[in-house]
Amino acid sequence: MKVFLRFIAALVAPLLFALGVSAHPGNERSVAYLTEQIARYPQRYQLYLQRAGLNIELGNYELARLDLNRVELLADQAESGYQRGQLSMRLGDAELAVKGYSQYLDVYPRFLPALEARARAYQSLGDKRRALQDWQRLLLLSDRANPGQYVAAARLVLELDGARAALVTLDQGMQDLGVIVPLQRLAINICQSEGDLGAAIERQWQLRSVMQASALWYLQAGELLVLAARYSEAETILTELGKQLEQKKPSPALQRFQQQASLLRQRIPSESI
Amino acid sequence: MGLSGCVKTSPDRALSGGFSDPGAARPERLFLQQLSHDGVIIKWRGEANHACALSVQKALRCLPATAVAGGHKEVRFTHLLPDSRYQYSVGGYTDTSTYFFTAPTTGQLPHDGTIRLWLLGDSGTASEFDADGQLKHPGDAQAVMNGFLSYNASLGSDPIDMILMLGDNAYDSGTDAQWQTAVFDLYGHLLHHSSLWPTIGNHEMGYGKVVLPGMGTFQWRGGSTSSDPGSYRALSDSEPEDMPYLDIFTLPARGEVGGVASGTEQYYAFNFGNLHIVSLDSQLTTRDREQRAAMKQWLIADLMAHDQDWTIVIFHHPPYTRGSHNSDEEFASLAGVDQPIIDIRQEFTQVFEDYGVDLVYSGHSHSYERSYYLKGHRGDADSFDPAVHTLLNSKGFPASGHGAELYPQVSTDSQLDDRVVYTVAGSSGKVSLRDGKLDHPAHALQKHDPQGRHGLAELGSVVVDAGAKQLIARFVDDEGRVLDVVTIEKQ
């Protein structure tokens, strides 16, 4: 029997490798191949799982569902959980998606894609507290968090627990990743929204070396100072901004910056200059 | 352990001791990271526990290595002199290839007047085998390298200041072993003295597995649509699950080499002389809306923070292509694998054009396509209008970018630096078109193509020379012939 199976494998392998090369684009060909294999080995649940995943990507949701049903007949229900979750999300059933992801995470608790997917499913259900728990767990487990993940988590914290807690999340992110523009600028926006322009300005100054005291930094700093009615400082910053802009290559961005700088200047009362 | 299991090694010299040890073994893997005007990281895998750098003035510094991910070791040298030659050794091992030139002072050119970049796209075929264990594209990546070296030698062997890899660097799944074969074994000595800068391709993400008990494991490659590097799947339980790409490289996530800190090694930027170079992540980060937005915000901050003469951006998925991949939405949005093509085109090309990027390089399609001087083209190929989206010549046709039709960095019509040349250079390891017809109208017609198409189905790589007044990019085939040239000129 083993010899027979190895013989079959030897026949099958070239097709599989060929298909691997065509795995993109050409998930359709992969599906066709898997269908052929399933016909030969109808008890192999892994084949249905693979085909389900491909069909979900292709938008063949009904076919994917049938495959996942088959997986659940042949194997432990948890095995299909992640794909079941993906399918459910595509079909707009976030509740069922959560169930699928949860089953999978019960068996594979450190599979971060399922954790993030469940967080988003919870969010779409409005269960933001549970979504936040998943985000926080993900950030704890991940040793290579992406800045965007901290942004997503912080936005949720802001909604649920307020500005102070959101700033804590962002500061934790910056302890992890270093002071970086997306996190600090979100923190600045939060401070602004809370009317704490002093804190916003302080954070903008922390970005000065990160942003290499660029024209963008000066423009952002100028905006905050004008908002805070610190006109004398704003004037100094805008003067420096003007000098920088004169040195830069002409570009659409430069033109916009010049317009914005000009508009900012107009907001400075003449008596304060 | 029996005698046959003993390996005789020389003890590492004391840090204050000799630079070289004739008995020292060459590291299995040796390459340079983050080469700048005042520093470098020497990185290797092997027994050695220290590295030394020797200046032309015979000043010697030796430092102990730090063990880092993936079984690598590295030493970071700082306070080096700009545009200077250093010989180095690793555990006493040194040879004629273990040297480097630091970058010139930021904003300046090196003593030889030119910064030379070598770009390779989808080159990783030296590790791509068929079911019978035969190489699928035997010798192709080697031939591309030989073609480049032959071309470089014809110009007096100008030093290669850096090597940029455009993704799919180690087929078919980016395992550590495939990186060893397709990159470190193949380009070996070149990597000893030229800094290597990569970007993530879709074949860096491991395998999707079908495990058939009693029959083995069969794999799907290149089809991951996850934004998570943790989705990397190793071939077997004996391989670590961490994405090898992120373990192999030490990339400047904290802005160590002049770019703005990104906080992640998945995308980064750096300066080299009068060049600013950005590597974006079109494989992972682009697939998540919030991550993509954060990358775009960082990119804008980074592009505004530098004043270099030239800006080059690299990432794997080309915004305009009709080679083995099709950038039209109908095709690129199928199956999700190529969704980054659309997202990059719709959300990032505007940034490139607004913030003065000069050249954009991608791979993914296994051919060569080089665009006209573009601005404002965000839709499918049939929405391309040369009169609106390109610089026209005096006859009303798209300017070619060479000969009498060099591209001015500041456009003559708008008086702004607002156009970009987009190049697909994915034929450094193989050529394939699948159903592609190389007929994307945004790409320049290629006179060396026998069918006169908007691209070349030829093995090759790109050489970029950055000078004070001109940025010249050439496509060099596997025989060292230049088949395409584009020049951007400062007025």
Side-chain angles (χ1 to χ4, degrees):
Chain A
M1 183 60 179
K2 275 188 183 173
V3 170
F4 174 72
L5 284 173
R6 277 197 216 109
F7 174 73
I8 294 295
L11 288 179
V12 158
L15 286 171
L16 277 162
F17 275 100
L19 212 45
V21 171
S22 308
H24 74 92
N27 280 356
E28 298 92 339
R29 288 167 66 184
S30 305
V31 166
Y33 173 73
L34 281 166
T35 301
E36 192 185 293
Q37 290 306 297
I38 285 169
R40 286 195 204 186
Y41 310 105
Q43 301 304 310
R44 308 289 190 197
Y45 78 88
Q46 297 93 340
L47 295 171
Y48 295 96
L49 204 53
Q50 285 288 334
R51 193 171 66 176
L54 291 170
N55 271 323
I56 291 168
E57 291 293 344
L58 286 165
N60 301 330
Y61 300 137
E62 184 54 27
L63 294 175
R65 189 182 65 78
L66 291 171
D67 277 342
L68 292 175
N69 287 348
R70 191 76 185 149
V71 171
E72 285 155 17
L73 287 174
L74 295 170
D76 190 280
Q77 196 163 20
E79 290 297 329
S80 70
Y82 178 61
Q83 294 293 3
R84 180 70 78 181
Q86 296 289 78
L87 175 62
S88 299
M89 280 305 285
R90 293 283 185 107
L91 292 172
D93 191 340
E95 209 167 304
L96 204 55
V98 164
K99 193 173 165 197
Y101 296 137
S102 298
Q103 282 174 337
Y104 197 78
L105 285 165
D106 283 344
V107 180
Y108 304 105
R110 300 179 80 90
F111 186 61
L112 299 185
L115 207 48
E116 185 166 347
R118 191 173 68 177
R120 295 193 188 282
Y122 275 135
Q123 271 180 272
S124 71
L125 285 170
D127 192 344
K128 295 179 180 173
R129 183 59 62 186
R130 284 205 166 94
L132 181 56
Q133 283 169 358
D134 276 349
W135 275 116
Q136 286 169 334
R137 180 155 176 78
L138 183 150
L139 291 172
L140 191 68
L141 289 176
S142 176
D143 55 7
R144 282 183 173 135
N146 189 288
Q149 290 173 322
Y150 274 107
V151 167
R155 287 196 204 281
L156 201 48
V157 172
L158 180 65
E159 232 183 288
L160 292 173
D161 297 328
R164 193 184 294 258
L167 291 173
V168 167
T169 299
L170 289 168
D171 286 335
Q172 277 168 352
M174 286 189 277
Q175 258 200 317
D176 185 17
L177 305 179
V179 175
I180 55 172
V181 169
L183 301 193
Q184 189 70 305
R185 286 296 301 171
L186 179 56
I188 287 166
N189 289 343
I190 291 171
C191 291
Q192 262 183 270
S193 304
E194 295 295 300
D196 191 351
L197 288 170
I201 290 168
E202 203 177 305
R203 284 182 178 272
Q204 182 66 23
W205 252 253
Q206 288 168 6
L207 275 178
R208 189 171 193 274
S209 62
V210 173
M211 293 175 70
Q212 300 177 25
S214 68
L216 178 60
W217 182 85
Y218 275 101
L219 184 65
Q220 291 170 345
E223 281 170 348
L224 289 170
L225 289 168
V226 166
L227 273 172
R230 286 159 62 166
Y231 297 124
S232 165
E233 291 166 84
E235 179 59 36
T236 305
I237 287 290
L238 291 175
T239 301
E240 189 56 42
L241 171 61
K243 285 182 196 167
Q244 277 218 19
L245 293 178
E246 277 170 22
Q247 304 298 320
K248 292 198 88 64
K249 270 181 280 181
S251 68
L254 176 71
Q255 281 187 327
R256 282 201 300 274
F257 278 38
Q258 285 168 333
Q259 283 164 9
Q260 286 173 278
S262 174
L263 286 171
L264 269 181
R265 272 193 184 281
Q266 289 170 26
R267 288 164 58 186
I268 298 177
S270 52
E271 62 269 19
S272 62
I273 298 174
Chain B
M1 182 187 291
L3 279 175
S4 61
C6 291
V7 177
K8 186 177 178 184
T9 57
S10 300
D12 282 343
R13 293 299 177 109
L15 295 184
S16 58
F19 173 76
S20 78
D21 176 356
R26 189 175 76 176
E28 165 198 335
R29 178 183 290 186
L30 175 62
F31 56 115
L32 303 180
Q33 296 280 266
Q34 297 189 29
L35 181 60
S36 69
H37 67 283
D38 65 355
V40 70
I41 292 174
I42 299 172
K43 192 164 185 177
W44 69 93
R45 188 186 275 167
E47 298 289 322
N49 288 314
H50 77 279
C52 298
L54 182 68
S55 72
V56 169
Q57 295 84 8
K58 304 298 178 195
L60 175 68
R61 286 158 60 189
C62 297
L63 292 171
T66 304
V68 292
H72 298 91
K73 297 171 189 169
E74 65 183 37
V75 168
R76 183 190 288 269
F77 287 100
T78 58
H79 299 99
L80 302 180
L81 297 173
D83 197 19
S84 299
R85 190 182 194 280
Y86 288 82
Q87 188 76 19
Y88 69 90
S89 66
V90 173
Y93 177 81
T94 186
D95 65 27
T96 54
S97 71
T98 57
Y99 68 91
F100 58 85
F101 280 94
T102 48
T105 301
T106 300
Q108 295 184 12
L109 287 169
H111 60 277
D112 60 20
T114 306
I115 298 172
R116 172 153 293 176
L117 294 70
W118 185 35
L119 291 92
L120 295 160
D122 301 59
S123 60
T125 54
S127 55
E128 192 177 14
F129 296 88
D130 63 22
D132 296 326
Q134 303 300 309
L135 280 169
K136 283 183 178 165
H137 306 277
D140 283 357
Q142 176 83 49
V144 169
M145 178 172 68
N146 292 346
F148 163 72
L149 291 174
S150 161
Y151 167 75
N152 202 42
S154 74
L155 301 174
S157 292
D158 204 10
I160 308 164
D161 292 295
M162 69 186 79
I163 300 172
L164 304 181
M165 302 196 84
L166 306 176
D168 288 4
N169 313 298
Y171 282 104
D172 42 33
S173 302
T175 68
D176 185 88
Q178 288 165 350
W179 275 96
Q180 184 65 38
T181 303
V183 176
F184 296 106
D185 290 346
L186 178 61
Y187 303 114
H189 65 288
L190 296 178
L191 304 179
H192 295 174
H193 51 76
S194 305
S195 194
L196 183 58
W197 299 97
T199 196
I200 303 173
N202 54 298
H203 280 275
E204 258 72 70
M205 296 312 301
Y207 300 87
K209 275 190 278 195
V210 177
V211 178
L212 302 178
M215 293 177 65
T217 303
F218 302 101
Q219 303 91 36
W220 314 104
R221 292 91 73 185
S224 171
T225 58
S226 173
S227 63
D228 190 335
S231 64
Y232 173 86
R233 283 294 168 263
L235 173 58
S236 68
D237 290 340
S238 63
E239 285 205 33
E241 289 285 338
D242 287 346
M243 187 179 159
Y245 174 101
L246 292 176
D247 281 352
I248 287 168
F249 293 103
T250 303
L251 298 168
R254 306 253 168 168
E256 297 94 321
V257 197
V260 167
S262 63
T264 173
E265 288 184 293
Q266 290 169 225
Y267 50 91
Y268 60 91
F270 63 98
N271 290 329
F272 193 103
N274 69 344
L275 274 174
H276 185 73
I277 297 176
V278 178
S279 173
L280 295 178
D281 173 16
S282 66
Q283 173 57 26
L284 295 168
T285 300
T286 308
R287 296 184 188 276
D288 176 88
R289 188 169 46 91
E290 259 140 352
Q291 291 185 30
R292 191 167 71 243
M295 182 168 72
K296 184 177 169 184
Q297 188 177 17
W298 164 81
L299 175 64
I300 289 170
D302 177 76
L303 292 175
M304 279 306 297
H306 84 87
D307 288 310
Q308 309 320 322
D309 291 333
W310 311 109
T311 307
I312 297 174
V313 177
I314 66 171
F315 50 87
H316 187 61
H317 296 75
Y320 314 103
T321 183
R322 273 194 177 164
S324 52
H325 294 266
N326 190 319
S327 56
D328 281 1
E329 192 155 349
E330 176 194 352
F331 301 97
S333 61
L334 266 180
V337 173
D338 281 351
Q339 181 64 34
I341 287 177
I342 300 166
D343 292 329
I344 290 271
R345 184 167 75 241
Q346 291 180 350
E347 296 180 29
F348 283 79
T349 55
Q350 177 92 61
V351 174
F352 303 150
E353 292 154 23
D354 282 357
Y355 287 85
V357 171
D358 299 295
L359 299 174
V360 168
Y361 284 97
S362 305
H364 201 46
S365 281
H366 303 138
S367 50
Y368 175 80
E369 298 166 280
R370 188 266 297 169
S371 80
Y372 296 115
Y373 209 17
L374 297 187
K375 174 171 76 169
H377 177 44
R378 313 280 174 245
D380 288 349
D382 61 7
S383 70
F384 176 74
D385 180 351
V388 174
H389 299 131
T390 72
L391 187 69
L392 299 178
N393 62 19
S394 56
K395 294 175 183 161
F397 295 111
S400 65
H402 50 78
E405 297 178 7
L406 305 187
Y407 293 150
Q409 188 179 47
V410 173
S411 296
T412 44
D413 50 356
S414 62
Q415 297 301 311
L416 297 173
D417 183 357
D418 60 358
R419 294 183 190 277
V420 179
V421 176
Y422 297 87
T423 301
V424 182
S427 59
S428 303
K430 59 181 165 182
V431 170
S432 86
L433 293 180
R434 298 181 202 262
D435 301 325
K437 294 182 169 43
L438 293 180
D439 60 352
H440 197 303
H443 285 303
L445 286 165
Q446 291 292 335
K447 65 179 182 188
H448 287 286
D449 179 65
Q451 299 173 47
R453 292 172 291 189
H454 294 258
L456 292 163
E458 301 284 345
L459 285 172
S461 58
V462 171
V463 182
V464 174
D465 288 321
K469 293 290 184 193
Q470 290 189 336
L471 185 66
I472 307 173
R474 297 178 175 88
F475 178 71
V476 178
D477 75 359
D478 58 336
E479 294 184 20
R481 297 175 301 192
V482 176
L483 299 186
D484 184 48
V485 183
V486 62
T487 302
I488 299 177
E489 195 169 55
K490 283 162 71 79
Q491 286 78 30

